[in-house]
Amino acid sequence: MRGKLLSYAEPLLNTTGPMKDLMKAMIAWAAGYYSQRLSENVSSGLARKRQKAAEQGEVYVHGRRALARELVARIQQLQQEGLSVRKISAAVQVPVGTVHKYLKVESPLSQTADYTTSSTG
């Protein structure tokens, strides 16, 4: 009985009788419709967040707290002064993970770093 749905509470949902193909198609359609609506809702929510951040003069990046440009510049300045991520976090009162992500993505040092090694000998 692999791949078949048998519902005692809702017999119309059964995918074992003569209506099995119709019920499978209807269930698949409903799941696809739900997925499409969810995707639209998420996209519109992200668009609203981007617009709100732009109105406040900030850049919204999904998955992390939006920070003002001045704060990002201060974080990068503190990194150039040699402070650790934890000390920067304490100084600007932003979580360590957020500081780390902004330094990792937006730091000029991380964009131009050359990690190749040369052997002499």
Side-chain angles (χ1 to χ4, degrees), residues 5 14 23 68 72 78 88 111:
L5 174 69
N14 290 344
M23 294 314 307
V72 173
L78 292 173
I88 294 171
Q111 293 174 359

Side-chain angles (χ1 to χ4, degrees), residues 20 73 78 94 102 113:
K20 66 181 178 185
L78 292 173
V94 173
Y102 272 95

Side-chain angles (χ1 to χ4, degrees), residues 28-44:
W29 172 83
Y33 180 75
Y34 171 77
S35 178
Q36 180 182 3
R37 294 288 299 154
L38 182 62
S39 177
E40 291 171 0
N41 290 340
V42 168
S43 296
S44 66

Side-chain angles (χ1 to χ4, degrees), residues 16-17 23 30 32 39-41 47 50 55-56 75 91 93 104 107 112:
T16 58
M23 294 314 307
S39 177
E40 291 171 0
N41 290 340
R50 283 189 195 98
E55 289 172 357
Q56 296 175 351
I75 289 170
Q93 296 180 345
K104 181 178 178 184
S107 171
T112 59

Side-chain angles (χ1 to χ4, degrees), residues 90-111:
V92 296
Q93 296 180 345
V94 173
V96 173
T98 303
V99 170
H100 181 70
K101 288 177 185 178
Y102 272 95
L103 291 176
K104 181 178 178 184
V105 172
E106 298 177 11
S107 171
L109 297 175
S110 67
Q111 293 174 359

